[in-house]
């Protein structure tokens, strides 16, 4: 019993760490969308503001990127789901010995880097454009066309995997029965197989749209004059980000949560209706009036969806009447006061350092004045002028002689009398 409790506690701790790692960055980014600083940050908290949502909806580049992403996503969904469904049908009908090879070929684009797919798409369709003889402004060089083609190359493989999983549970006897009853292959496909594949087709379409919406590696080589949202965001990040990007991320997260809750609530509603049909009487089934359990009381997803919708309405209503101008002004004034205090502290610190240096110089000045004057070079007076000339006394004793006999210091060799032949001979 103790080991079971320990295992259960460990499981809850693991789940908490996992979801904190998975959802923590999204929560922090969502919080930064409501903080007033111009750089996205959650702490320190300054003022509650909704101005970044307004800045987001006034950004023409972001809005243009969203529009292009929706257009590319719609085209990718149509092309990828169609190719994925065709590939799934072919996989179930192909010769069994070739099925493994065919499956490998279909899945190969998923393993190829998106950069390679983008470059190859651009080069291939440019060559086709030249072979056909079309100009540089033809639809084969259009950014939307190239992006849809490039993304569908590998997204179709994802769609095929989803559709194959559904198609494996299909009973081919239904199609054979329809053909035996006189239906054509097109009618059997449209009225028997396609209704069975609708849930998988819807799932594949959602997967294709999300994969197209967030794709960057392939799109960066093919977008041309139609940059998608991911391209615009990447270009904006190079020059500095603002909380407007956090506001966009918050909106995407909220829409995703709404879609997930709506889908879950719809699934649970269908389960409740199916359960009510089983418990209903024949009269209730014939009249179509059978009792279904309370939608909100038996469907937690619907309850959460209603609460989230009410919270969204409250937030939007608050944003229309709330103004953070006074709070922002108070924060700016507080920052100004803190800046002045820091400047004063810095000036005071510099003044103290200058006073300390002056005191040190004043202490060093008397020592330099107390040192012996003269030409003492610190080598015991060896290089002083008196030492080189033999001392003051010798100069005084030799000075009269030098004045009387014109002694030049070389034994009177260069004296005028010696050079002219005068001297002792005279």
């Amino acid at each position: 019993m103790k080991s079971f409790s320990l295992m259960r506690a460990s499981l809850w701790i693991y789940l908490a760490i996992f979801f904190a790692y998975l959802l923590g960055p999204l929560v922090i980014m969502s919080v930064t969308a409501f903080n007033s600083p111009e750089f996205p940050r959650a702490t320190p908290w300054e003022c509650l503001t909704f101005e970044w949502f307004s800045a987001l909806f006034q950004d023409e580049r972001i809005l243009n990127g969203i529009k292009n992403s929706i257009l590319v996503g719609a085209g990718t969904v149509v092309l990828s789901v169609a190719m994925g469904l065709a590939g799934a049908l072919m996989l179930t009908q192909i010769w069994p010995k070739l099925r493994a090879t065919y499956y490998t070929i279909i899945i190969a684009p998923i393993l190829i880097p998106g950069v390679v797919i983008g470059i190859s798409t651009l080069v291939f369709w440019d060559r086709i454009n030249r072979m056909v003889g079309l100009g540089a402004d033809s639809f084969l060089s259009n950014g939307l066309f190239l992006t849809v083609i490039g993304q569908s190359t590998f997204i179709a493989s994802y769609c095929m995997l989803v559709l194959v999983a559904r198609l494996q549970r299909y009973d081919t006897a239904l199609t054979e029965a329809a053909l035996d009853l006189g239906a054509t292959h097109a009618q059997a496909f449209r009225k028997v197989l396609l209704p069975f594949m609708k849930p998988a087709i819807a799932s594949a379409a959602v997967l294709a749209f999300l994969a197209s919406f967030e794709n960057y590696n392939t799109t960066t080589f093919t977008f041309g004059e139609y940059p998608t949202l991911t391209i615009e965001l990447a270009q904006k990040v190079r020059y500095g980000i603002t909380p407007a990007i956090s506001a966009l991320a918050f909106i995407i997260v909220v829409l995703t949560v709404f879609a997930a809750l709506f889908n879950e609530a719809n699934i649970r509603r269908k389960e409740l209706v199916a359960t009510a049909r089983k418990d209903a009487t024949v009269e209730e089934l014939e009249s179509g009036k059978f009792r279904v359990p309370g939608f909100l009381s038996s469907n937690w997803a619907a309850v959460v969806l209603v609460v989230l919708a009410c919270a969204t309405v409250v937030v939007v209503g608050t944003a229309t009447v709330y103004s953070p101008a006074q709070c922002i002004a108070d924060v700016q004034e507080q920052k100004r006061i803190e800046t002045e205090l820091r400047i004063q502290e810095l000036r005071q610190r510099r003044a103290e350092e200058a006073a300390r240096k002056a005191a040190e110089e004043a202490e060093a000045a008397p020592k330099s004045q107390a040192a012996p004057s003269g030409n003492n070079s610190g080598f015991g007076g060896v290089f002083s002028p008196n030492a080189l000339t033999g001392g003051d006394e010798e100069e005084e004793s030799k000075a009269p002689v030098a004045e009387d006999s014109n002694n030049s210091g070389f034994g009177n060799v260069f004296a005028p009398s010696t050079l002219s032949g005068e001297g002792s001979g005279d």
Side-chain angles (χ1 to χ4, degrees), residues 335-351:
K335 288 183 178 180
R336 185 186 64 81
I337 294 174
E338 292 177 355
T339 303
E340 291 180 354
L341 291 176
R342 290 178 182 177
I343 293 174
Q344 292 179 0
E345 291 177 358
L346 181 61
R347 289 177 178 175
Q348 184 178 1
R349 191 181 307 162
R350 289 181 178 178

Side-chain angles (χ1 to χ4, degrees), residues 92-284:
T92 59
Q93 298 176 7
I94 200 173
W95 193 29
K97 292 184 178 180
L98 296 178
R99 191 168 296 170
T101 304
Y102 176 78
Y103 180 81
T104 303
I105 295 174
I106 294 297
I107 297 300
I110 299 178
L111 307 177
I112 300 175
V115 175
V116 176
I117 294 177
I119 296 176
S120 60
T121 300
L122 184 63
V123 173
F124 175 78
W125 288 102
D126 179 70
R127 182 60 59 89
I128 295 296
N129 189 29
R130 293 183 180 181
M131 290 175 60
V132 176
L134 299 177
D137 56 346
S138 65
F139 76 97
L140 294 180
S141 300
N142 186 271
L144 290 176
F145 172 78
L146 292 176
T147 304
V148 170
I149 292 295
Q151 292 183 359
S152 300
T153 303
F154 66 94
I155 294 178
S157 301
Y158 293 117
C159 296
M160 191 204 71
L161 294 177
V162 176
L163 295 171
V164 164
R166 177 71 174 177
L167 197 58
Q168 288 177 347
R169 293 183 290 175
Y170 178 69
D171 187 5
T172 57
L174 298 175
T175 301
E176 294 175 357
L179 294 176
D180 292 339
L181 293 175
T184 62
H185 287 278
Q187 290 175 340
F189 172 78
R190 187 177 69 255
K191 295 183 177 181
V192 179
L193 180 60
L194 199 59
F196 178 81
M197 296 295 295
K198 277 185 179 180
I201 291 175
S203 300
V206 173
L207 176 63
F209 182 81
L210 295 178
S212 171
F213 197 85
E214 59 85 24
N215 181 264
Y216 175 78
N217 293 333
T218 302
T219 310
T220 190
F221 294 97
T222 59
F223 68 89
E225 298 179 356
Y226 299 91
T228 59
L229 180 61
T230 54
I231 300 298
E232 292 289 1
L233 292 179
Q235 293 177 355
K236 277 184 170 294
V237 168
R238 296 176 184 176
Y239 302 102
I241 60 176
T242 64
I245 298 178
S246 300
L248 176 63
F250 176 76
I251 293 174
I252 294 175
V253 170
V254 171
L255 292 178
T256 304
V257 172
F258 264 113
L261 290 175
F262 180 80
N263 182 59
E264 184 67 22
N266 189 35
I267 292 175
R268 291 187 175 273
R269 182 187 65 82
K270 292 180 179 179
E271 293 177 354
L272 292 175
V273 172
T275 304
R277 285 181 179 274
K278 291 181 181 180
D279 299 336
T281 62
V282 177
E283 293 78 7
E284 291 176 346

Side-chain angles (χ1 to χ4, degrees), residues 32-45:
T32 60
F34 298 92
N35 200 5
S36 58
E38 295 184 356
F39 186 82
R41 61 182 182 182
T43 57
W45 183 266

Side-chain angles (χ1 to χ4, degrees), residues 6 118 296:
L6 181 61
L296 294 180

